[in-house]
Amino acid sequence: MRWIYRSTWGDGTARICYDRRVKQKSIHAYHGRRRVVIDRVRPEIDAGAFPIKRVIGETVHVEADIIADGHDHIRAVLRYRPAGGRWAETPLHNQGNDRWTASFSVKKLGFYEYTVHAWIDHVDTWIHGLRKKHAAAVVDEVDLSIGARLIADTAERVRSAGASHTAEARRLAEIAAGLEVPTDSVDHRVGTVLAPATIALLDAWPDRSLENSYATTLRVQVDRRRAAFSAWYELFPRSAGSGTTHGTFHDVAARLPYIARLGFDIVYMPPIHPIGTTKRKGRNNSVTAAPGDPGSPWAIGSAEGGHTAIHPQLGTLEDFRELVERVRSYEMEIALDIAFQCAPDHPWVAEHPDWFVSRPDGSIQFAENPPKKYEDIYPINFETEDWQALWQELKDVFLYWIEQGVLVFRVDNPHTKAFPFWEWAIAEIRREHPEAIFLAEAFTRPKRMYRLAKAGFTQSYTYFTWRNDPAELREYLTELTTTEVAEFFRPNFWPNTPDILHEDLQTGGRAAFIARFVLAATLSGNYGIYGPAFELLEHTPSRPGGEDYLHSEKYEIRVWDLARTDSLAPLIRQVNAIRRENEALQDNRTLRFHPCDNPSILCYSKRSASGDNVILICVNMDFHATQAGMVEFSPLAVGLPDQPPFVVRDLLDKATYTWRGYWNYVELDPRTRPVHIFVLER
Amino acid sequence: MRWIYRSTWGDGTARICYDRRVKQKSIHAYHGRRRVVIDRVRPEIDAGAFPIKRVIGETVHVEADIIADGHDHIRAVLRYRPAGGRWAETPLHNQGNDRWTASFSVKKLGFYEYTVHAWIDHVDTWIHGLRKKHAAAVVDEVDLSIGARLIADTAERVRSAGASHTAEARRLAEIAAGLEVPTDSVDHRVGTVLAPATIALLDAWPDRSLENSYATTLRVQVDRRRAAFSAWYELFPRSAGSGTTHGTFHDVAARLPYIARLGFDIVYMPPIHPIGTTKRKGRNNSVTAAPGDPGSPWAIGSAEGGHTAIHPQLGTLEDFRELVERVRSYEMEIALDIAFQCAPDHPWVAEHPDWFVSRPDGSIQFAENPPKKYEDIYPINFETEDWQALWQELKDVFLYWIEQGVLVFRVDNPHTKAFPFWEWAIAEIRREHPEAIFLAEAFTRPKRMYRLAKAGFTQSYTYFTWRNDPAELREYLTELTTTEVAEFFRPNFWPNTPDILHEDLQTGGRAAFIARFVLAATLSGNYGIYGPAFELLEHTPSRPGGEDYLHSEKYEIRVWDLARTDSLAPLIRQVNAIRRENEALQDNRTLRFHPCDNPSILCYSKRSASGDNVILICVNMDFHATQAGMVEFSPLAVGLPDQPPFVVRDLLDKATYTWRGYWNYVELDPRTRPVHIFVLER
């Protein structure tokens, strides 16, 4: 009778591990002979439910707790592969306290998988004991015979691995036999085993028949480089014409040399679709539009079409495709704004009334935040019984624009659409288009923002705009760059947007614009500005205490004089060039804050992986008075061995300073030099 | 044609969630209409792979992140049940930042299960909007019609719930109809809905058709009270006789009044099995035994039997059963020592040679730590092909002693036996005997100790013995009582064991014994001493710098004079009585450390759940000189509102002090009063 192992966890002959979302499944033969235990593999987001994020070429540093009973030696490997590809392995090393580590780099777009395997190495255990016994001169013949048996078993494994390993198998069999030749001295026999070549050979052919694996296979979402390092320029195409004439894609094309010269990567346009006429908003967010008022581009859809149509005043689909090509010729790319909401005139409203909430009086429920009403917008009802068709249609909107050559999407208010939809849609789109980038415009509570990032969004808007003093910025950036959040949430910092003109910019003058710009561009690999409002220092709010622009471009065409001599364009150009030339500024994980005895000065550094490039930034957060203080910069804090004196060069004004100790004097005048961007001369 | 939802995670019509160990399985209908997301339910050990621990009557405080898109209102319930029983539910409440909490208490031994369900409550969302619109006087007829529809739906749900709810259904239908009577004023109609009775009725009948559940069902291991609050007294039965005559179970029975009077709960005896003769150890751990040397009780097994036999010199099985009954009559219980290792004479060696490692020369591999050899002990080979039979036999050892009336086991060196074995064996035994208590004697690296606790051990030995200054104790206790560790690891503090005579006791004199005893008995709900060595202040090591006792009882019979006037018995009796009378000392989770300006004084408090009982302890860790200092005791730090003056009474010497502020003077003289155990008079 076959003994059946009955236990509280099933029949025990197999141990089946599913991850929480049934995205992977693995079956381990389970029985008591497997003694190694692998726990707490990190990084791991929510028990493996979500992938971590990397860009091509980056490294994944993996840690695991690995233990076994007794004193036998453990060996462990990190296993990784592009999803669906062949597994590769690299050894993990015990860093103390049973924490083992190893790394791999990701080289292909899409997803990678990783997990940890470990086993007890009886050969290694025996060699370790042999060394100690030999040192104490207590090696017995039986000790050597034990080793001979282990090595002979290894030889057998090598032999069965195929003809190409015959020589190794023969060598191991010789060593095994030699161990039991009593006429040879113990010293000689031990020496043969402990020879580096023997050790290497034995290490290469471990007995893994009783290895265990971690319960879960974890995943990495691998994006292209621009997912982590990008500079966005937002503009309203309708203001790109001359005077108050409605701008077109041709006008945007004419603006491209300017944007490219400023050094941006991504040209982001608010929705380009037909704008609803029913309940259209007028200038300054008036609930009634005057004749000729262009309406908000976010009130999407009219008789002329919806999310896959183009607002006729901007041009044709052909014009748009031409623009996409033109942008590409400048090594930039277009970002479109995907806002899943409908003006009352949107074709979906008539075609799919069940995608919206209908009221008992037969009307469709508009957006509201009681007692406020937003009658120009119908939200989509994600609880519709027809959700499959809805999801498919929404996903197809992205695919349509991908067909037109767009790969970057700024998604409007994703936190007002169901989370499961995003997880599904982004995964579906990335399956065919892993180069697609999705920026989540969710200004909401932290857990909702983080959940969207976990669901697959490539980049995320942040609270940066409302982190205004050095302590707040330190705390927020520490959370974003040093905690688990850094594994899945890629911040994109914006000093302004068409919706947000922060009080700092309203009252801080040019110094505030410079400081907030430099902070955004250097604290975060991804950042953006809404222009030309930003470079032209637009700072008048619609009302005192508000954060909306007066004469907001959301509701009217604006005329911008790009040639103004006070434009920040030269500084922006310079900083974007510095970002491109200094690898240190292209990643967030190396960010470190440095103490300054003046609390108005924020001081931080970033370094390249090699340490060859170290950037140190000092920002005066008082926009009205000169602030000076002593800044502590210890290269040790950024992992470098350098000793004083240090030579630092300001990349903005080229001035060079020699710092003779760890504490050094800086002075920042908001009128002449509100920031330093130093490079450490090494 | 039925639309099939194809996605990257499977066919999508069902979402199957398995926990990592396949101990539970749950299937959620998955589709996009379910908008609530539940994450990070805590406590949760290793993604739910292991249970948390509680004793009967304790509370489980559960937290979860619960979010949804948009602004709709969420409701959530904590679901819990004794495993296999009926689910109960209690609402979770949002504590801010989308963190929801609720609690339940465990009332039955065995396992409980818990998880979280949540849904969007459209009725509650509508009521919230109605309140705001009513306040702003903008309620439309259509707003009331929307509510009428929602309430009519509720009425329908109530009706279909059965005849016993007819009255509620009728009342709801009336309210729904009343909302649409235009001749009634809006005020009147809104008032009807907002009446507390209506709100309560609507709250009681939510629409949960689109609820979601957390991915995992989590577990609680529920033990009896003694699992968390116990005082152990270890003694060698063979030294319980008169003079050097080998003691018997009858002698132990005669010692019981003494042990009971000291206030202990558990009488723990080293292994009581036949002791091997081959390679038997002599006195003071000598590798050769002299004639008459009794040998180590941990060298288990001889011709007279193994782990289910009794050493003939101690008595018979009948004697043992009598002793078990006698111990019970004192409201104490026996703990046996289960040490899975064999002397060369153990019957298993002949019967199951394949349970051990055999060497090429045909001998069996003894224990070794190269170059040291322990030839009196054969370790068990958990990699044996016959592992099922081995596991069964080892488990049956516990079951055998449970049949004899023993429910408490101190397990010797569990970290040298395979972890999967313990997880299986303890679960198997607890299935029939959930009152069984297992104390893990693993002095090893932290992750191995914690893994054993996760695997099911009820209590664990700790590093307490080697945490000797106030800072070390603070740090260690903070880890044990305030981190996730507190959920699964129950410490048992021992100032001494037969193997460990710490330097503090060797050199610190009576003050050290008192301090270490009070620390053990008040820092941890579970503690123990090895007596009579402890109460008789035995402090001579086998060699300078060592931690073994000279003339260790492990290898010889000792004669103890319990009547010695310097015995600590009176203090021990007093402290055990204080532990029983003061609920504050019966749990570890309320432990708080309080500042003292003298670093030699450790000060801490514990409180009962109600706050009625607060104990404050001050220990002089300098055993050679009087130390005095100011101690800060703020009741706020322990969650109490009391203001100075405070009256504290020392439970040892009954002295009373009035403290007129938060900082108060204490003075501890190692010769006369090395500790204070204050109760706060409330």
Side-chain angles (χ1 to χ4, degrees):
Chain A
M1 188 190 82
R2 180 157 158 61
W3 194 91
I4 297 295
Y5 160 43
R6 292 154 42 84
S7 86
T8 47
W9 59 65
D11 82 359
T13 50
R15 172 169 169 187
I16 306 166
C17 295
Y18 292 78
D19 90 337
R20 294 193 175 195
R21 312 284 149 159
V22 194
K23 283 174 192 154
Q24 298 125 11
K25 176 171 105 171
S26 59
I27 301 183
H28 308 284
Y30 184 86
H31 54 66
R33 300 181 67 201
R34 299 172 187 271
R35 294 161 48 208
V36 179
V37 170
I38 307 164
D39 270 324
R40 290 211 312 135
V41 173
R42 297 289 181 274
E44 175 189 89
I45 309 301
D46 294 352
F50 301 103
I52 62 165
K53 295 200 179 92
R54 290 291 185 277
V55 295
I56 281 191
E58 279 188 324
T59 292
V60 180
H61 179 77
V62 177
E63 305 197 350
D65 287 351
I66 307 179
I67 56 173
D69 60 283
H71 305 288
D72 291 333
H73 285 210
I74 293 172
R75 283 177 65 192
V77 289
L78 167 63
R79 286 166 62 83
Y80 59 96
R81 63 172 181 180
R86 286 172 62 91
W87 287 104
E89 291 188 345
T90 186
L92 291 128
H93 297 287
N94 188 347
Q95 306 298 336
N97 195 21
D98 297 312
R99 196 72 176 153
W100 297 60
T101 64
S103 299
F104 68 100
S105 32
V106 290
K107 301 193 164 79
K108 283 180 65 175
L109 282 182
F111 285 96
Y112 269 63
E113 296 176 332
Y114 60 101
T115 192
V116 170
H117 287 211
W119 63 94
I120 284 172
D121 189 328
H122 290 293
V123 174
D124 195 47
T125 307
W126 172 78
I127 287 172
H128 178 77
L130 185 69
R131 279 186 210 277
K132 293 199 158 184
K133 288 177 175 173
H134 192 232
V138 294
V139 175
D140 292 333
E141 282 300 324
V142 70
D143 293 321
L144 297 169
S145 294
I146 290 169
R149 193 156 68 176
L150 288 166
I151 295 172
D153 288 350
T154 307
E156 193 45 46
R157 268 197 307 283
V158 178
R159 185 169 301 121
S160 61
S164 58
H165 300 293
T166 307
E168 291 154 282
R170 194 174 305 132
R171 176 69 192 122
L172 284 165
E174 280 167 21
I175 294 166
L179 275 174
E180 296 193 280
V181 176
T183 48
D184 282 354
S185 74
V186 167
D187 276 1
H188 172 74
R189 288 182 279 166
V190 170
T192 307
V193 171
L194 300 185
T198 311
I199 301 282
L201 195 50
L202 290 168
D203 275 358
W205 292 94
D207 176 6
R208 293 173 59 171
S209 58
L210 296 181
E211 79 176 6
N212 254 336
S213 58
Y214 186 55
T216 311
T217 300
L218 303 171
R219 290 180 310 141
V220 190
Q221 171 180 323
V222 183
D223 295 304
R224 58 189 167 118
R225 184 117 185 72
R226 199 164 266 173
F229 181 60
S230 61
W232 295 50
Y233 187 83
E234 175 175 7
L235 84 166
F236 282 78
R238 66 190 183 192
S239 298
S242 39
T244 55
T245 315
H246 197 289
T248 66
F249 292 140
H250 292 300
D251 296 317
V252 174
R255 181 74 58 85
L256 293 178
Y258 170 82
I259 302 169
R261 200 174 136 80
L262 291 190
F264 288 98
D265 306 303
I266 294 177
V267 179
Y268 152 45
M269 299 187 291
I272 58 171
H273 316 302
I275 295 171
T277 50
T278 308
K279 306 275 183 184
R280 176 178 284 191
K281 290 282 182 74
R283 289 159 196 252
N284 286 311
N285 202 12
S286 155
V287 291
T288 51
D293 278 356
S296 161
W298 284 275
I300 294 170
S302 74
E304 288 144 332
H307 284 76
T308 51
I310 288 174
H311 186 55
Q313 287 181 281
L314 291 172
T316 64
L317 180 61
E318 204 41 55
D319 296 338
F320 178 73
R321 293 172 68 121
E322 259 183 58
L323 176 63
V324 168
E325 283 310 311
R326 282 291 292 279
V327 170
R328 192 169 293 148
S329 73
Y330 286 97
E331 292 183 352
M332 302 190 295
E333 57 188 306
I334 288 278
L336 282 191
D337 189 323
I338 304 295
F340 284 137
Q341 57 197 14
C342 296
D345 318 319
H346 194 293
W348 287 345
V349 177
E351 289 163 20
H352 298 284
D354 50 338
W355 290 0
F356 303 88
V357 173
S358 59
R359 307 200 296 174
D361 63 0
S363 66
I364 287 184
Q365 179 65 62
F366 44 78
E368 57 178 356
N369 181 12
K372 286 191 205 159
K373 299 175 176 184
Y374 306 97
E375 296 182 73
D376 58 332
I377 291 295
Y378 290 169
I380 289 170
N381 175 20
F382 280 82
E383 288 186 7
T384 175
E385 304 258 2
D386 193 31
W387 62 276
Q388 291 101 328
L390 169 67
W391 284 23
Q392 204 74 53
E393 177 83 8
L394 298 183
K395 184 193 76 176
D396 286 348
V397 168
F398 288 99
L399 293 178
Y400 176 83
W401 293 110
I402 288 175
E403 271 169 41
Q404 314 315 321
V406 178
L407 280 167
V408 184
F409 300 97
R410 179 269 200 192
V411 177
D412 187 79
N413 280 330
H415 59 294
T416 61
K417 287 89 198 174
F419 295 104
F421 163 70
W422 291 120
E423 194 173 343
W424 172 83
I426 294 175
E428 287 287 288
I429 296 162
R430 278 182 52 88
R431 209 152 40 144
E432 297 296 318
H433 305 285
E435 66 280 36
I437 288 175
F438 301 86
L439 165 61
E441 188 251 6
F443 293 112
T444 180
R445 302 192 299 278
K447 282 167 189 171
R448 305 212 298 180
M449 292 175 70
Y450 289 156
R451 176 74 185 204
L452 289 164
K454 290 176 185 176
F457 277 92
T458 330
Q459 304 182 356
S460 305
Y461 280 70
T462 70
Y463 305 138
F464 166 71
T465 317
W466 303 279
R467 296 296 177 269
N468 306 101
D469 71 41
E472 284 171 348
L473 279 167
R474 264 197 302 270
E475 187 185 349
Y476 188 46
L477 270 295
T478 299
E479 174 176 328
L480 293 184
T481 63
T482 70
T483 72
E484 183 187 81
V485 169
E487 297 291 355
F488 60 82
F489 183 90
R490 289 200 195 93
N492 191 326
F493 280 6
W494 291 71
N496 75 329
T497 78
D499 285 314
I500 313 168
L501 171 66
H502 189 271
E503 190 189 357
D504 273 0
L505 300 186
Q506 295 175 30
T507 63
R510 185 179 185 83
F513 276 78
I514 293 174
R516 297 298 301 178
F517 174 75
V518 168
L519 287 168
T522 60
L523 282 169
S524 172
N526 299 305
Y527 87 102
I529 59 168
Y530 150 56
F534 189 82
E535 66 264 30
L536 296 182
L537 308 163
E538 182 79 3
H539 64 277
T540 313
S542 64
R543 58 187 171 84
E547 285 194 345
D548 294 311
Y549 282 93
L550 182 66
H551 299 303
S552 167
E553 255 183 303
K554 285 174 72 177
Y555 310 106
E556 63 189 274
I557 293 167
R558 291 288 300 271
V559 180
W560 301 106
D561 175 9
L562 301 181
R564 260 169 47 196
T565 54
D566 65 343
S567 169
L568 288 177
L571 174 79
I572 291 169
R573 185 183 176 196
Q574 199 178 9
V575 170
N576 277 332
I578 289 170
R579 278 169 47 94
R580 289 185 185 205
E581 285 155 19
N582 290 276
E583 195 191 323
L585 295 175
Q586 296 169 17
D587 183 51
N588 300 343
R589 277 167 239 243
T590 65
L591 178 70
R592 293 291 175 276
F593 290 96
H594 300 276
C596 178
D597 64 2
N598 181 333
S600 291
I601 296 176
L602 182 67
C603 181
Y604 52 96
S605 71
K606 286 183 167 180
R607 53 164 283 182
S608 62
S610 67
D612 288 347
N613 182 226
V614 178
I615 300 290
L616 181 70
I617 291 152
C618 302
V619 180
N620 180 1
M621 308 280 294
D622 176 350
F623 311 129
H624 304 286
T626 296
Q627 296 289 343
M630 298 298 284
V631 163
E632 185 189 32
F633 176 71
S634 161
L636 217 59
V638 299
L640 295 178
D642 305 35
Q643 297 288 333
F646 313 112
V647 175
V648 297
R649 181 162 49 85
D650 190 317
L651 292 167
L652 294 173
D653 67 4
K654 319 297 182 205
T656 291
Y657 305 82
T658 300
W659 285 356
R660 310 214 167 267
Y662 293 109
W663 286 89
N664 296 284
Y665 180 79
V666 297
E667 183 179 309
L668 296 164
D669 179 340
R671 287 154 305 182
T672 57
R673 185 176 54 207
V675 304
H676 277 304
I677 302 180
F678 291 125
V679 64
L680 180 67
E681 304 274 14
R682 297 200 74 208
Chain B
M1 188 191 80
R2 181 158 158 60
W3 193 90
I4 298 295
Y5 160 43
R6 291 153 43 83
S7 84
T8 46
W9 59 65
D11 82 359
T13 51
R15 172 168 168 187
I16 305 167
C17 294
Y18 292 79
D19 90 336
R20 294 194 176 194
R21 313 285 150 159
V22 193
K23 285 175 190 155
Q24 298 126 11
K25 175 171 106 171
S26 59
I27 300 184
H28 308 283
Y30 183 87
H31 53 66
R33 300 181 67 200
R34 299 173 187 269
R35 294 161 48 209
V36 179
V37 170
I38 307 164
D39 269 324
R40 289 210 314 134
V41 173
R42 296 290 180 274
E44 174 187 272
I45 310 300
D46 294 351
F50 301 103
I52 62 165
K53 295 200 179 92
R54 290 291 186 277
V55 295
I56 281 191
E58 278 188 324
T59 293
V60 180
H61 179 77
V62 177
E63 305 197 350
D65 287 351
I66 307 179
I67 55 172
D69 60 283
H71 305 289
D72 291 333
H73 285 211
I74 292 173
R75 283 178 63 193
V77 289
L78 168 63
R79 286 166 63 83
Y80 59 96
R81 63 171 181 182
R86 286 170 63 89
W87 288 104
E89 291 188 344
T90 187
L92 291 128
H93 297 287
N94 189 347
Q95 306 297 335
N97 195 19
D98 298 312
R99 195 73 177 153
W100 296 61
T101 65
S103 299
F104 68 100
S105 30
V106 290
K107 302 194 164 78
K108 283 181 64 175
L109 282 182
F111 285 96
Y112 268 64
E113 296 177 332
Y114 60 102
T115 192
V116 170
H117 286 211
W119 63 93
I120 285 171
D121 189 328
H122 290 292
V123 174
D124 196 47
T125 307
W126 173 76
I127 288 171
H128 178 78
L130 185 68
R131 278 186 210 278
K132 294 199 156 182
K133 287 176 175 175
H134 191 232
V138 295
V139 176
D140 292 331
E141 283 299 324
V142 71
D143 293 320
L144 296 169
S145 294
I146 289 168
R149 192 157 70 175
L150 288 166
I151 295 172
D153 289 349
T154 306
E156 193 45 47
R157 267 196 309 282
V158 178
R159 184 169 300 121
S160 61
S164 58
H165 299 293
T166 308
E168 291 154 284
R170 194 174 304 129
R171 177 70 192 124
L172 285 165
E174 280 166 20
I175 295 166
L179 276 173
E180 297 193 281
V181 176
T183 50
D184 284 353
S185 73
V186 167
D187 276 0
H188 171 74
R189 288 182 279 167
V190 169
T192 307
V193 170
L194 298 185
T198 311
I199 300 282
L201 194 51
L202 290 168
D203 274 359
W205 293 94
D207 177 5
R208 293 172 59 171
S209 58
L210 295 181
E211 78 176 6
N212 254 336
S213 59
Y214 187 54
T216 310
T217 300
L218 304 170
R219 290 180 310 139
V220 190
Q221 171 180 321
V222 184
D223 294 304
R224 57 189 167 118
R225 183 119 186 70
R226 200 162 268 172
F229 180 60
S230 62
W232 295 50
Y233 187 82
E234 176 174 7
L235 84 167
F236 281 78
R238 66 190 183 194
S239 298
S242 39
T244 56
T245 315
H246 197 291
T248 66
F249 291 140
H250 292 299
D251 296 318
V252 175
R255 183 73 59 86
L256 294 178
Y258 170 82
I259 301 170
R261 200 175 136 79
L262 291 190
F264 288 98
D265 305 303
I266 293 177
V267 179
Y268 152 45
M269 300 186 291
I272 59 171
H273 316 303
I275 295 170
T277 50
T278 308
K279 306 274 184 185
R280 175 177 284 190
K281 289 282 181 76
R283 288 160 197 252
N284 286 313
N285 203 12
S286 155
V287 291
T288 51
D293 278 356
S296 162
W298 284 274
I300 295 170
S302 74
E304 288 144 332
H307 284 77
T308 52
I310 287 175
H311 186 55
Q313 288 181 281
L314 290 172
T316 64
L317 180 61
E318 205 40 57
D319 297 338
F320 178 73
R321 294 171 67 121
E322 259 183 59
L323 177 62
V324 168
E325 284 309 311
R326 282 291 292 282
V327 170
R328 192 169 293 148
S329 73
Y330 287 96
E331 294 183 350
M332 301 190 296
E333 57 188 305
I334 289 277
L336 282 191
D337 189 322
I338 304 295
F340 283 137
Q341 56 196 15
C342 297
D345 318 319
H346 194 293
W348 287 345
V349 177
E351 289 164 20
H352 298 284
D354 50 337
W355 291 359
F356 303 88
V357 172
S358 59
R359 306 200 296 176
D361 63 359
S363 66
I364 287 183
Q365 179 65 61
F366 44 80
E368 56 178 357
N369 181 11
K372 287 192 204 158
K373 300 175 176 184
Y374 306 98
E375 295 183 71
D376 58 331
I377 291 294
Y378 290 169
I380 289 169
N381 175 20
F382 279 83
E383 287 187 5
T384 175
E385 305 257 2
D386 193 31
W387 63 276
Q388 291 103 328
L390 169 68
W391 284 24
Q392 203 74 52
E393 177 82 10
L394 298 182
K395 184 192 77 175
D396 285 349
V397 168
F398 288 100
L399 292 179
Y400 177 83
W401 293 110
I402 288 174
E403 273 170 39
Q404 313 315 321
V406 177
L407 279 167
V408 185
F409 300 97
R410 179 268 199 193
V411 176
D412 187 80
N413 279 331
H415 60 294
T416 61
K417 287 90 198 173
F419 295 105
F421 163 71
W422 292 119
E423 194 173 344
W424 172 84
I426 294 175
E428 287 287 288
I429 295 162
R430 280 182 52 89
R431 207 152 43 144
E432 297 296 318
H433 306 284
E435 66 280 34
I437 288 175
F438 301 85
L439 166 61
E441 188 252 4
F443 292 112
T444 180
R445 303 190 300 277
K447 283 167 189 170
R448 305 213 297 181
M449 294 175 68
Y450 289 155
R451 177 73 186 205
L452 289 164
K454 290 176 185 176
F457 277 93
T458 330
Q459 303 182 356
S460 305
Y461 281 68
T462 69
Y463 305 138
F464 166 71
T465 318
W466 302 280
R467 295 296 177 269
N468 307 102
D469 72 42
E472 285 171 348
L473 278 166
R474 264 197 303 271
E475 186 185 349
Y476 188 46
L477 268 296
T478 300
E479 174 175 329
L480 293 184
T481 63
T482 70
T483 72
E484 183 186 82
V485 170
E487 297 291 355
F488 60 83
F489 183 90
R490 289 200 195 94
N492 190 325
F493 279 5
W494 291 71
N496 75 329
T497 77
D499 284 314
I500 312 167
L501 171 66
H502 189 271
E503 191 190 356
D504 272 1
L505 300 186
Q506 296 175 29
T507 63
R510 186 179 185 84
F513 275 78
I514 294 174
R516 297 299 299 179
F517 174 76
V518 168
L519 288 169
T522 59
L523 282 169
S524 172
N526 299 305
Y527 87 102
I529 59 168
Y530 150 55
F534 189 82
E535 66 263 31
L536 296 181
L537 309 163
E538 183 79 2
H539 64 276
T540 314
S542 65
R543 58 186 171 83
E547 286 194 344
D548 294 311
Y549 282 92
L550 182 66
H551 299 304
S552 168
E553 256 183 303
K554 287 174 71 177
Y555 309 106
E556 64 187 275
I557 293 167
R558 293 288 301 271
V559 180
W560 302 105
D561 175 9
L562 301 181
R564 258 168 48 194
T565 54
D566 65 342
S567 168
L568 288 178
L571 174 79
I572 291 169
R573 185 182 175 198
Q574 199 179 10
V575 171
N576 276 333
I578 290 170
R579 278 167 48 93
R580 289 184 185 208
E581 286 155 17
N582 290 276
E583 194 192 323
L585 295 174
Q586 296 169 18
D587 183 52
N588 299 343
R589 277 168 239 242
T590 65
L591 178 69
R592 293 290 175 277
F593 291 97
H594 300 276
C596 179
D597 64 3
N598 180 332
S600 291
I601 296 177
L602 182 67
C603 181
Y604 53 95
S605 72
K606 285 182 169 182
R607 53 165 282 182
S608 61
S610 67
D612 289 345
N613 183 227
V614 178
I615 300 289
L616 181 71
I617 292 152
C618 302
V619 180
N620 180 0
M621 307 279 295
D622 176 349
F623 310 129
H624 304 286
T626 296
Q627 296 289 343
M630 298 300 283
V631 162
E632 185 189 31
F633 176 71
S634 161
L636 218 59
V638 300
L640 296 177
D642 305 36
Q643 297 288 333
F646 313 113
V647 176
V648 297
R649 181 163 47 86
D650 191 316
L651 292 167
L652 294 174
D653 67 7
K654 320 295 183 206
T656 292
Y657 305 84
T658 300
W659 285 356
R660 310 214 167 267
Y662 294 109
W663 286 90
N664 296 283
Y665 180 78
V666 296
E667 183 179 309
L668 296 165
D669 179 339
R671 287 154 305 182
T672 58
R673 186 175 53 206
V675 304
H676 277 305
I677 303 180
F678 291 126
V679 64
L680 180 67
E681 305 274 13
R682 298 202 74 206

